[in-house]
Amino acid sequence: MLKMADRPLMGKRVLVTRMEEQAEALASRLEMLGAETVKLPLIRIEPSENEALLDSAIEKALAGGYDWIVFTSVHGVKTFFERIRHKDADPRNLCTTKFAVIGPATGKALEDFGFAPNAMPDRYTNEGLAEMFERLLGEAEGKRPLRFLLWRAQGAREILAKRLGELGSVVEEVHAYRTVPNQLPDERLNELLGQRIDIVTFTSPSTVRAFFEVLGNERAKKVLDSAIVATIGPVTEQACKEFGVEPQIVASVHTVDGLVNAIVAWVKRQSESTE
């Protein structure tokens, strides 16, 4: 039998705002620790309409046209290799290309397609990737400019492309998909949010923006005013602040596990302070 110490989130009702296909990874971890979760899929993925651009980048990659391919999300990895499969091409043609990923989940997605990441930053952010490549490219000083493919979402932050360009690299960005708000009927929203919410989790700036767009400012603020806000890292924290929300929990390790650990640590601190 599990002890209370093994279920530190017992009695907490946690809102999970990730897209539907990713929500379970976070919800299941929280539930194992005793939380009750409410899944509110606020965003969804739509593919790029410019298929010719995607195919051109894939063909160039298969022909060895890039030194590095950089993925900043699990979905980026999936769309890239699904595109290769759609073209009935052989991914083994990528064997001379190096891959960089933003964090462990993206690295795991890459491994699922048979490739190990060649590089991953210590900080799982675009800034972390940029700093990592500054070190790597500094070690390769004097060689020809390296060719990068950034396969990413439309609207992704520009810092990585900018820093790579400043380092003399040839950078090609492909917006393979876009994240859009997942509009839900009012009846469904009222059903999900009609009960107490103790903690609201945000795992990306897009989930924050969608929260306010889908719920509307008044309803969104009402939910957040009576709940603890937990974010996966400083970039998502900043997105909250742009809407006038100050998160109480910001994960120092920018992964789902890091977010869960940060929530548990905060709950334990609050419990100890009231004893």
Side-chain angles (χ1 to χ4, degrees):
M1 180 180 293
L2 288 173
K3 301 176 182 177
M4 185 60 190
D6 299 319
R7 297 171 68 81
L9 301 184
M10 181 72 74
K12 300 297 183 185
R13 201 161 186 266
V14 184
L15 187 66
V16 175
T17 58
R18 302 186 94 193
M19 69 181 70
E20 192 167 0
E21 55 266 40
Q22 293 182 328
E24 187 58 34
L26 175 55
S28 62
R29 286 167 171 79
L30 293 167
E31 289 165 3
M32 286 177 62
L33 294 166
E36 178 187 355
T37 61
V38 179
K39 298 171 191 170
L40 180 65
L42 288 174
I43 56 175
R44 69 178 191 276
I45 297 294
E46 289 188 351
S48 170
E49 296 177 355
N50 193 340
E51 294 194 8
L53 180 63
L54 301 185
D55 285 340
S56 175
I58 290 292
E59 290 168 6
K60 186 173 177 180
L62 292 168
Y66 304 107
D67 299 295
W68 285 90
I69 298 175
V70 182
F71 295 116
T72 55
S73 72
V74 169
H75 200 77
V77 175
K78 290 180 177 178
T79 56
F80 181 82
F81 284 96
E82 284 169 1
R83 199 80 196 168
I84 290 178
R85 185 181 297 153
H86 176 73
K87 293 177 66 64
D88 200 26
D90 189 347
R92 289 177 295 183
N93 289 331
L94 298 166
C95 63
T96 61
T97 305
K98 292 182 178 180
F99 293 95
V101 297
I102 198 167
T106 308
K108 174 63 167 58
L110 183 64
E111 289 170 356
D112 289 343
F113 286 97
F115 290 87
N118 298 95
M120 181 174 69
D122 296 327
R123 292 196 300 139
Y124 308 144
T125 62
N126 279 280
E127 288 85 353
L129 275 170
E131 291 164 4
M132 178 189 74
F133 277 118
E134 284 178 351
R135 293 192 298 272
L136 291 176
L137 297 186
E139 294 168 3
E141 192 173 353
K143 298 182 180 179
R144 67 164 175 79
L146 295 180
R147 303 159 298 175
F148 282 82
L149 171 63
L150 308 186
W151 184 276
R152 58 206 309 210
Q154 181 179 321
R157 298 168 66 230
E158 297 298 325
I159 184 168
L160 178 58
K162 181 174 181 291
R163 297 273 281 277
L164 287 173
E166 290 170 350
L167 291 166
S169 301
V170 179
V171 182
E172 185 175 335
E173 289 188 83
V174 171
H175 299 143
Y177 62 96
R178 62 193 184 108
T179 303
V180 298
N182 189 28
Q183 297 294 342
L184 299 169
D186 269 352
E187 297 78 14
R188 179 63 173 152
L189 290 173
N190 290 334
E191 176 189 346
L192 291 172
L193 302 174
Q195 301 179 52
R196 182 194 83 252
I197 299 291
D198 297 303
I199 301 172
V200 177
T201 61
F202 292 116
T203 54
S204 67
S206 58
T207 58
V208 177
R209 292 189 289 267
F211 187 82
F212 282 87
E213 181 168 338
V214 174
L215 273 66
N217 281 345
E218 185 176 342
R219 183 161 46 183
K221 283 290 181 67
K222 184 178 179 181
V223 173
L224 297 180
D225 283 347
S226 60
I228 298 303
V229 176
T231 68
I232 202 166
V235 176
T236 306
E237 176 192 19
Q238 181 57 39
C240 286
K241 290 180 177 180
E242 290 169 6
F243 285 93
V245 176
E246 189 75 38
Q248 291 90 342
I249 302 171
V250 180
S252 57
V253 178
H254 316 317
T255 63
V256 166
D257 284 338
L259 177 58
V260 171
N261 291 339
I263 291 171
V264 169
W266 189 90
V267 170
K268 286 182 175 179
R269 286 197 302 272
Q270 296 304 304
S271 176
E272 290 167 358
S273 68
T274 58
E275 290 178 356

